[in-house]
Amino acid sequence: PVINFSPGPAKLPESVLERAQKEMLNFNNTGVSVMELSHRSSDFTRIITTTENNLRKLLNIPDNYRVLFLQGGGTGQFSAIPLNLLSLKPGQTADYIVTGSWSAKAAQEAEKFGKVNLVIPKVKKYTDIPEPETWNLNPEASYVYYCANETIHGVEFQYIPETNGVPLIVDMSSNILTRQLDISKFGAIFAGAQKNIGCAGVTLVIIREDLIGKALPICPIIFDFKVQVGNNSLYNTPPTYSIYIMGLVFEWILAQGGVPEMEKKAITKSTMVYDMVDSSNGFYVCPLSKGCRSRMNVPVRIGAPEGDEAMEKKFLEEAEKNKLISLKGHRSVGGLRISLYNAVTVEETQVLVKFMKEFMDRYRK
Ligand code: PLP
């Protein structure tokens, strides 16, 4: 069988796909597929309610936080966040901690609607997170924004930034439900589903109640958190099938032992890969500082420091012959990228590490 290390849309647990297949033509004896159910039917209401309740259980979401299931992806939230939250303070300024391409894109989008303060200096290469003592945080900012895991560069925060009371907004598209979290530290959390929690099409937003209701007048209605909260994410037709798949993934995570178990596995899997890289005497190189290495996306170059592209191509070809797929680095950084989301097992990671070792032994000069 193929082992899929895709950065997203990514591997789903086999049991989730099998269950979806089993229920495909006749969901819960309704005689129809989930895709064909009205979003206002009692069957779909049960799906969305159970999905939310299971997420609340998994993340210990406090009662003063609301959960939304929206469309538009992570990129939609790059716009929705400033449109809803810039006016929390009269200056309509937001702080952005840019540590990779995704937070850079979010900051660029926010500039359309208000003033953006870059908390850390612009860099050419994203391989590090400067010490918080050096950050230029604005106490008058409406919010502070960051990306918890930069999927392309593999920069992951190992801590939650301190903002002295300014609401903290986070993009967790590629690491939600992979580490334990104190939700009360955040103003809002958002995440596209297609990496750790389902298939593309649905975007999760978890937001503290008191931040809702301040949208700019130009905010499109489907992105207005107040409207969506008031309608339990059913102001318009939500991505029903993607919500159903997300619900199956939440049940799977609960059955596995919840977030602590996902976190334990993420540490095991990523440590295996980093140990392989670090013990390769420079054959494999991970450009990141150790303090911000992602457990989800491991960027690797063969042949430091710029990468030996011919060798990397050979690696990808041979990996594919061995049914290890989607290991190519993002086009903007090159090299390899090993994505280790929740559905990738420890055993599958072992297969990859063994392949890396064999490849190295074969080609090391
Ligand atoms: N944020 C992060 C961290 C991502 O990895 C991605 C996509 O890969 C996005 C945002 C953009 O998400 P979408 O493609 O759902 O708009």
Side-chain angles (χ1 to χ4, degrees):
V2 157
I3 307 178
N4 184 4
F5 292 96
S6 168
K11 183 180 193 288
L12 282 159
E14 239 164 60
S15 62
V16 164
L17 292 175
E18 280 162 4
R19 185 158 157 208
Q21 182 184 43
K22 214 163 102 211
E23 296 178 342
M24 176 63 79
L25 298 184
N26 182 6
F27 175 74
N28 196 24
N29 282 327
T30 53
V32 298
S33 171
V34 172
M35 278 180 233
E36 303 168 301
L37 284 177
S38 160
H39 57 295
R40 309 208 184 271
S41 65
S42 58
D43 282 291
F44 186 74
T45 304
R46 219 164 9 236
I47 290 173
I48 196 168
T49 311
T50 309
T51 301
E52 176 173 341
N53 289 340
N54 283 338
L55 179 69
R56 286 187 173 274
K57 218 182 286 174
L58 282 166
L59 286 176
N60 292 318
I61 301 177
D63 288 344
N64 63 327
Y65 284 74
R66 303 297 297 257
V67 175
L68 291 171
F69 301 94
L70 304 180
Q71 306 200 45
T75 308
Q77 290 308 307
F78 295 170
S79 324
I81 293 296
L83 283 163
N84 279 276
L85 304 177
L86 265 174
S87 46
L88 288 174
K89 295 250 180 75
Q92 303 201 356
T93 298
D95 276 354
Y96 277 74
I97 309 173
V98 173
T99 55
S101 302
W102 293 113
S103 44
K105 282 194 172 162
Q108 200 180 8
E109 181 67 9
E111 275 176 356
K112 289 183 187 168
F113 310 114
K115 280 184 261 145
V116 166
N117 169 48
L118 296 180
V119 173
I120 57 182
K122 268 193 186 156
V123 290
K124 279 219 182 74
K125 281 192 176 163
Y126 298 109
T127 54
D128 206 357
I129 304 172
E131 292 301 319
E133 298 77 59
T134 67
W135 296 359
N136 169 33
L137 287 168
N138 169 13
E140 292 308 313
S142 295
Y143 60 87
V144 178
Y145 178 104
Y146 78 111
C147 176
N149 183 63
E150 284 284 355
T151 320
I152 294 173
H153 295 89
V155 175
E156 184 174 22
F157 277 81
Q158 309 295 327
Y159 57 90
I160 299 173
E162 184 49 63
T163 61
N164 298 315
V166 177
L168 181 62
I169 313 300
V170 64
D171 174 359
M172 284 196 185
S173 292
S174 50
N175 70 350
I176 193 162
L177 289 168
T178 70
R179 47 171 81 217
Q180 297 182 78
L181 272 188
D182 179 355
I183 299 288
S184 72
K185 299 249 195 258
F186 296 93
I189 297 170
F190 72 86
Q194 65 270 24
K195 297 160 199 304
N196 276 300
I197 50 174
C199 64
V202 60
T203 315
L204 204 59
V205 177
I206 303 166
I207 179 160
R208 213 174 69 208
E209 247 163 20
D210 61 295
L211 305 180
I212 299 170
K214 315 259 174 26
L216 295 172
I218 57 160
C219 180
I221 195 156
I222 56 159
F223 278 156
D224 188 322
F225 293 155
K226 185 168 181 215
V227 172
Q228 291 288 10
V229 160
N231 288 277
N232 293 320
S233 307
L234 301 175
Y235 174 75
N236 66 325
T237 316
T240 52
Y241 197 77
S242 299
I243 293 170
Y244 157 74
I245 295 288
M246 192 187 250
L248 297 187
V249 174
F250 291 166
E251 284 180 29
W252 175 81
I253 297 176
L254 281 167
Q256 299 287 303
V259 177
E261 189 59 24
M262 294 298 114
E263 177 159 20
K264 212 170 92 195
K265 289 217 176 93
I267 293 170
T268 304
K269 290 181 289 182
S270 56
T271 303
M272 281 161 54
V273 173
Y274 286 118
D275 281 353
M276 168 73 238
V277 169
D278 291 340
S279 66
S280 73
N281 270 325
F283 184 84
Y284 296 111
V285 174
C286 169
L288 294 166
S289 295
K290 291 207 170 150
C292 66
R293 284 176 163 189
S294 170
R295 296 174 185 166
M296 292 293 117
N297 312 95
V298 184
V300 175
R301 303 280 340 213
I302 304 178
E306 294 307 321
D308 175 344
E309 285 181 19
M311 193 60 91
E312 288 167 347
K313 191 161 168 260
K314 210 188 293 255
F315 180 96
L316 293 169
E317 281 166 6
E318 291 193 18
E320 199 153 324
K321 274 196 203 121
N322 284 273
K323 307 212 155 125
L324 306 168
I325 67 162
S326 299
L327 286 161
K328 196 172 176 3
H330 189 269
R331 58 190 184 280
S332 64
V333 292
L336 324 171
R337 172 172 42 168
I338 301 160
S339 297
L340 303 167
Y341 300 127
N342 285 343
V344 174
T345 65
V346 172
E347 294 72 28
E348 288 170 333
T349 312
Q350 269 160 353
V351 173
L352 173 71
V353 169
K354 186 160 168 276
F355 171 81
M356 288 173 77
K357 166 110 187 27
E358 285 166 3
F359 185 87
M360 175 176 78
D361 291 344
R362 225 165 326 126
Y363 290 104
R364 194 204 289 280
K365 289 190 190 96

